[in-house]
Amino acid sequence: MKRISTLLLVFAFSLFFTSETFAQEIQKYDFLEIIVVQKANNRGKVKRIKVEEQTSLLGKTITVKEIEDIEETSTLLNYMNSANWEFVDRQSVVSDDNDPVWMSYIFRKAK
């Protein structure tokens, strides 16, 4: 009887420490920055999309050419979402009312 209780105790401890190890695993992500230039007050119509070659694109199904051919911000977001890239942040720079708006979109994907 003592041996069974000892085995149960060892099994319970091993189960506890195994679940603790999995809970502490840190998720790793690839990040991608996409620069979108659009006219001011033009409701998402894109003038140009620029994507620098980034290491996060290596071995992925999306390409720089496909991204740079997109003409609307909603299409860009849908494209990235369908490729399982999660939208993280957007920052924009506007200097004057008639100047183009420069926006930086940040996406991430689990490695």
Side-chain angles (χ1 to χ4, degrees):
M1 185 67 163
K2 187 173 181 175
R3 182 181 168 143
I4 292 174
S5 62
T6 305
L7 284 173
L8 283 173
L9 186 62
V10 168
F11 179 71
F13 274 123
S14 65
L15 244 158
F16 173 75
F17 287 115
T18 303
S19 65
E20 184 72 23
T21 302
F22 287 124
Q24 303 244 345
E25 186 175 322
I26 297 173
Q27 184 73 31
K28 295 187 171 120
Y29 292 98
D30 281 331
F31 287 91
L32 176 64
E33 180 181 26
I34 299 175
I35 304 297
V36 176
V37 182
Q38 71 184 70
K39 289 184 178 179
N41 303 323
N42 203 5
R43 295 189 183 118
K45 187 75 172 165
V46 172
K47 281 179 67 174
R48 182 173 175 223
I49 293 180
K50 178 68 178 148
V51 182
E52 299 282 329
E53 286 292 334
Q54 300 171 42
T55 57
S56 59
L57 284 174
L58 298 176
K60 301 296 190 289
T61 58
I62 62 173
T63 64
V64 171
K65 176 100 172 92
E66 288 175 336
I67 295 171
E68 289 181 345
D69 287 343
I70 294 174
E71 296 180 1
E72 294 179 335
T73 53
S74 61
T75 307
L76 171 66
L77 294 172
N78 287 332
Y79 175 78
M80 296 303 287
N81 189 33
S82 66
N84 295 322
W85 284 83
E86 178 185 356
F87 174 75
V88 177
D89 191 22
R90 180 187 77 178
Q91 296 180 1
S92 61
V93 176
V94 182
S95 57
D96 196 13
D97 288 340
N98 294 326
D99 288 345
V101 178
W102 289 76
M103 291 184 286
S104 169
Y105 285 84
I106 305 294
F107 296 91
R108 72 179 180 186
K109 183 172 185 157
K111 287 186 177 181

